[in-house]
C-alpha cells in the first residue's frame, strides 16, 4: 500500500447524537471510494465500523473506530465515534487526533443534547468543524428548523453551503451555493448529475451564495478588499477563505446528506479533500515542556497513543497519530512517561476489524501497532534524545459509582485482572479499592457504560460473573459536647499482669478553640486526618501520675477507635482528647495496658458526648431543556436536596442543589428516564453535614445488628 505524504492526509472524526447516521456515513465513504462493493447497514449488522458483537446486538456504536479511505489522491482517516454521552471518552480521544470534525445533525430531531456536549469539546480543542444535516429523506425532515437550531446552539457562524431541494420521502436533489450547482441523484444514490440551478430557486440560491461570501470575506481582510472591488469571490478564493476560517474555528460550513441512500457523501468527501486542513496546516502541537512541534515529515519522529484495544488473538493494539517525523516498522522510540524504549515491530493501517501492514507512516497519519508492553493511552513516544511530551487527553470525571464483586468467592484475582484490562482500554473507567468502605468501587459514565463494562469483564475472563451493589457511604462520626471518663484495665494471670488507668476529657474540636480551663498543657499534638478533620491530643498530666513514655500507647488506642467509630464503624473526626490523670503499676504497667485503657476511655466518653453521624454532601449541577425543570427539581427534592438556584446556561437551564450522597445512587437512571436522555449532570464533593436524627438512629441500629451478628458468628 502506498504511503501518503502529510499534505495528502486528512483526519476526520464523525460526531453526533446516537442515531444521527455516523456509521452509515462512514460506510458510504468507503463505498464511494471503491473500497466496498456493497454498503452494509446497521439493520443487517454488517457495517465495517460496528464490527463488535455487542454493537451488532445493540444496533449502535460503543467504541470509536479507525477506518480509512482513498479519494482522488488523498487518504482520509475516518474516526467513527459512538453517540451516547456514556461513551464520551471515545469521542474525546478521537477529537484529540482529528483535524476536522464532521458533526451530523438528524433533520427529524434537530440539535440533540449530546451535540452540545460534543461542541464544548470541539471548542476546547479548536477543531475545525463542518456540519451535515442527515436523514433528509425521512418523512418529518425539517432542514430549516435544524439550521436555525444549529445557529441557536453553535452561534451565527454556521453557514449554509447546501440546501435540499425536496426534502422528505422523495429527496433526491441538493443545491450547492458554493459551486452554484444543482446535484440530482439517481434513485439508488451515488454519483449525481450536475444541473443548472432551476429558475424558481435562483433568488434563494443567490441570497445564500452572497451570505456565504460575506461570511468568508468577513473573516479575512484581503478577501474583504477583493470582494469590495469585484463584488464576488471566485471558487478558489472562497475555498482558501473557508479553510482559514475553519482552522481558526470561525466558520462552520453546513451540508446536506442522506447517508442511508448515499446522497451527498461524495460532495462532502470532495470538500474534505479540497478545503479541510491537512495536519501540517493545523497549528503546531505544544509540548508540556513548552516546545512547538510542527507536523513535519522531516522532523524528529514523535507519536501519541490515543487509544488501546485488546484483540483476542493478538493482544493489545495501540492506536496512534504521528505528530512529527516518519515512523518505520522496526524503529525504536522512547516512551517519555517512563523512559522505556519500545520497538515498533509492525505498523498497520486499519479498516474497522481489518488490519493491513505498512512499512511506514508519515507525520499527520494515524495507524496502529501491537505488543507495546509499557505504553498506555496518553503516552508520547519520541526519538531518543528528545524529551517531548504532548498534552494528554483530559477525560471527563465519572458520574456513576457502583460496588463490584465476583459472583463466586475465589474469583477476586480473575476480576482484578479483567478490571485492569477494561481500565487500559477505557480511561473513563476508574477502579478504586476502598479500605474505608471495604469494597471495590467502579466509577463510570452511566448505566449504559456500566452494562458495556459488565459485558466486557465477562467476555475477557471466561466463567467470570460479577455482581454490582450499592456503594457504602463514607459517613463520619463526631461529638457535640464535652465529657470526662476514666477506664482501668487490669488483668492478672500467672506471672506479670497488665495494669493501666487513664482519665481523659473528650470534646468537640473547632478551629481556634482556647486551651482547657483549670488544666496545664504539657504536650500538644495535632493530627490532620487522612479522611478529613483533626485530632488534637493534649497531655495535661500533673506530677507524673502516668509516665510520659505511655502517652504514645494511649494515643494509639484512641487512634484505633477513631478508625472505627462506635456508632457505625465510620472514621471519627474533629475531636480534642485531653489526658489529665491516671495510675500505673511499677511492675504490671506496659504499652498494651495503656493502649487498651486509652481505647476504652475514649469509646465510653464518645458515646456520652452527644455523638453525631456526618454524611457527605455534594453539589449537584443539572443541565436540562427548560421544559424539564419541574420534574427534575421535584426528583431532587425527594432526595433531600436543597435547591440553591437556577440559571440559564447556553440553551439549557442549570439547576444547582446540595444533595446527600446517600440519595444519589440511582439518580443517573432516573434523570435519563425523566428527560429521555436530554439532560446531564455533574457532582462535586462539598462538605460533611449532620444527618437528620431519625436517619442517624436507623443507621446506628443497623450497625449494631450487623456487629451483634458478627460477634455471634465469631
Amino acid at each position: 500500500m502506498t504511503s501518503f505524504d502529510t499534505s495528502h492526509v486528512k483526519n476526520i472524526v464523525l460526531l453526533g447524537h446516537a442515531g444521527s447516521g455516523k456509521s452509515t456515513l462512514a460506510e458510504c465513504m468507503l463505498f464511494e471510494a471503491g473500497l466496498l462493493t456493497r454498503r452494509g447497514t446497521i439493520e443487517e449488522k454488517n457495517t465495517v465500523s460496528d464490527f463488535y458483537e455487542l454493537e451488532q446486538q445493540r444496533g449502535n456504536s460503543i467504541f470509536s473506530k479507525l477506518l480509512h479511505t482513498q479519494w482522488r489522491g488523498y487518504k482520509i482517516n475516518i474516526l467513527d465515534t459512538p453517540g451516547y454521552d456514556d461513551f464520551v471518552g471515545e469521542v474525546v480521544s478521537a477529537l484529540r487526533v482529528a483535524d476536522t470534525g464532521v458533526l451530523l445533525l438528524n433533520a427529524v430531531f434537530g440539535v440533540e443534547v449530546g451535540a452540545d456536549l460534543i461542541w464544548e469539546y470541539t471548542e476546547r480543542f479548536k477543531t475545525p468543524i463542518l456540519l451535515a444535516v442527515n436523514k433528509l429523506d425521512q418523512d418529518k425532515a425539517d432542514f430549516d428548523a435544524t439550521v436555525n437550531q444549529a445557529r441557536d446552539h453553535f452561534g451565527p457562524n454556521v453557514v449554509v453551503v447546501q440546501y435540499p431541494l425536496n426534502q422528505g420521502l422523495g429527496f433526491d436533489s441538493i443545491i450547492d451555493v458554493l459551486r452554484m450547482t444543482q446535484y440530482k441523484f439517481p434513485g439508488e444514490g451515488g454519483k449525481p448529475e450536475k444541473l443548472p440551478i432551476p429558475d424558481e430557486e435562483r433568488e434563494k440560491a443567490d441570497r445564500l451564495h452572497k451570505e456565504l461570501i460575506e461570511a468568508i470575506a468577513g473573516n479575512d481582510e484581503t478577501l474583504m478588499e477583493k470582494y469590495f472591488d469585484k463584488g464576488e469571490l471566485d471558487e478558489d478564493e472562497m475555498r482558501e477563505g473557508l479553510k482559514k476560517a475553519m482552522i481558526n474555528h470561525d466558520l462552520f460550513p453546513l451540508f446536506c446528506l442522506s447517508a442511508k441512500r448515499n446522497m451527498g457523501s461524495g460532495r462532502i468527501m470532495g470538500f474534505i479533500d479540497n478545503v479541510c486542513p491537512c495536519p501540517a496546516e493545523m497549528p503546531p502541537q505544544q509540548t508540556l515542556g513548552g516546545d512547538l512541534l510542527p507536523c513535519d515529515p522531516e522532523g524528529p519522529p514523535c507519536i501519541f497513543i490515543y487509544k488501546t484495544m485488546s484483540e483476542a488473538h493478538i493482544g493489545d493494539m495501540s492506536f496512534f497519530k504521528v505528530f512529527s517525523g516518519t515512523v518505520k516498522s522496526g524503529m525504536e522510540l522512547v516512551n517519555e512517561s517512563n523512559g522505556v524504549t519500545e520497538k515498533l515491530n509492525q505498523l498497520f493501517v486499519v479498516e474497522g476489524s481489518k488490519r493491513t501492514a505498512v512499512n511506514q507512516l508519515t507525520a499527520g497519519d494515524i495507524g496502529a501497532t501491537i505488543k507495546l508492553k509499557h505504553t498506555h493511552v496518553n503516552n508520547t513516544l519520541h526519538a531518543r534524545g528528545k524529551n517531548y511530551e504532548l498534552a494528554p487527553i483530559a477525560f471527563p470525571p465519572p458520574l456513576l459509582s457502583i460496588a463490584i464483586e465476583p459472583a463466586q468467592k475465589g474469583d477476586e484475582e480473575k476480576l482484578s485482572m479483567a478490571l485492569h484490562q477494561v481500565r487500559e482500554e477505557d480511561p473513563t473507567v476508574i477502579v478504586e479499592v476502598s479500605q474505608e468502605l471495604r469494597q471495590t468501587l467502579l466509577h463510570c459514565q452511566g448505566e449504559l457504560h456500566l452494562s458495556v463494562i459488565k459485558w466486557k469483564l465477562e467476555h475477557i475472563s471466561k466463567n467470570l460473573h460479577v455482581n454490582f451493589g450499592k456503594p457504602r457511604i463514607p459517613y463520619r462520626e463526631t461529638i457535640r459536647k464535652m465529657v470526662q471518663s476514666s477506664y482501668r484495665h487490669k488483668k492478672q494471670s500467672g506471672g506479670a499482669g497488665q495494669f493501666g488507668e487513664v482519665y481523659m476529657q473528650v470534646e468537640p474540636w473547632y478551629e481556634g478553640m482556647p486551651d482547657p480551663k483549670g488544666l496545664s498543657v504539657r504536650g500538644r499534638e495535632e493530627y490532620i486526618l487522612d479522611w478529613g478533620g483533626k485530632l488534637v491530643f493534649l497531655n495535661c498530666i500533673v506530677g507524673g501520675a502516668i509516665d510520659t513514655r505511655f502517652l504514645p500507647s494511649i494515643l494509639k488506642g484512641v487512634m484505633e477507635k477513631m478508625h472505627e467509630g462506635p456508632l457505625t464503624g465510620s472514621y471519627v473526626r474533629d475531636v480534642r482528647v485531653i489526658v489529665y490523670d491516671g495510675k500505673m503499676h511499677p511492675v504490671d504497667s506496659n504499652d498494651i495496658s495503656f493502649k487498651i485503657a486509652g481505647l476504652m476511655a475514649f469509646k465510653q466518653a464518645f458515646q456520652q458526648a452527644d455523638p453525631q453521624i456526618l454524611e457527605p454532601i455534594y453539589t449537584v449541577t443539572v443541565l436540562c431543556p427548560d421544559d424539564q425543570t419541574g420534574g427534575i427539581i421535584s426528583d431532587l427534592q425527594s432526595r433531600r436536596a436543597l435547591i440553591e438556584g437556577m440559571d440559564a446556561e447556553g440553551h439549557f437551564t442549570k439547576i444547582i442543589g446540595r444533595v446527600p450522597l446517600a440519595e444519589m445512587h440511582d439518580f443517573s437512571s432516573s434523570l435519563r428516564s425523566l428527560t429521555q436522555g436530554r439532560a446531564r449532570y455533574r457532582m462535586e464533593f462539598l462538605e460533611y453535614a449532620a444527618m437528620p436524627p431519625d436517619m442517624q438512629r436507623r443507621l446506628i441500629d443497623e450497625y449494631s445488628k450487623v456487629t451483634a451478628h458478627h460477634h455471634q458468628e465469631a
Side-chain angles (χ1 to χ4, degrees), residues 17-157:
H17 194 277
S20 59
K22 298 176 294 293
S23 300
T24 308
L25 174 59
E27 197 74 7
C28 276
M29 290 178 154
L30 301 186
F31 177 73
E32 282 287 314
L35 294 179
L36 298 179
T37 48
R38 64 177 291 258
R39 296 190 298 131
T41 67
I42 305 290
E43 293 73 23
E44 292 173 276
K45 307 185 190 314
N46 59 354
T47 61
V48 176
S49 183
D50 288 353
F51 59 88
Y52 282 93
E53 178 193 338
L54 183 63
E55 295 177 311
Q56 294 173 359
Q57 283 171 17
R58 288 175 169 267
N60 54 45
S61 305
I62 290 168
F63 311 109
S64 73
K65 305 303 178 336
L66 175 59
L67 317 161
H68 73 272
T69 166
Q70 294 170 35
W71 180 255
R72 298 179 186 155
Y74 282 87
K75 175 182 183 187
I76 304 178
N77 286 315
I78 303 166
L79 294 146
D80 182 19
T81 65
Y84 284 115
D85 284 3
D86 280 35
F87 309 120
V88 62
E90 300 281 334
V91 180
V92 184
S93 54
L95 269 168
R96 175 71 180 82
V97 295
D99 301 306
T100 301
V102 178
L103 178 58
L104 271 76
L105 300 175
N106 184 330
V108 181
F109 297 118
V111 176
E112 296 166 276
V113 74
D116 280 280
L117 179 63
I118 292 164
W119 194 261
E120 281 171 31
Y121 283 107
T122 69
E123 299 247 273
R124 193 180 303 170
F125 286 120
K126 288 277 173 270
T127 314
I129 293 289
L130 65 94
L131 302 162
V133 178
N134 189 22
K135 306 212 169 182
L136 287 164
D137 57 323
Q138 305 246 334
D139 185 22
K140 295 211 163 52
D142 190 337
F143 178 80
D144 291 339
T146 305
V147 172
N148 289 336
Q149 278 189 34
R151 285 190 173 141
D152 194 32
H153 283 249
F154 315 136
N157 297 343

Side-chain angles (χ1 to χ4, degrees), residues 56 72 95 112-113 158 174 177 237 295 303 312 336 524 533 554 596 636:
Q56 294 173 359
R72 298 179 186 155
L95 269 168
E112 296 166 276
V113 74
V158 171
I174 292 171
V177 301
E237 290 165 341
C295 182
I303 68 175
E336 181 59 29
R524 172 193 315 268
I554 298 172
I596 292 170
L636 283 169

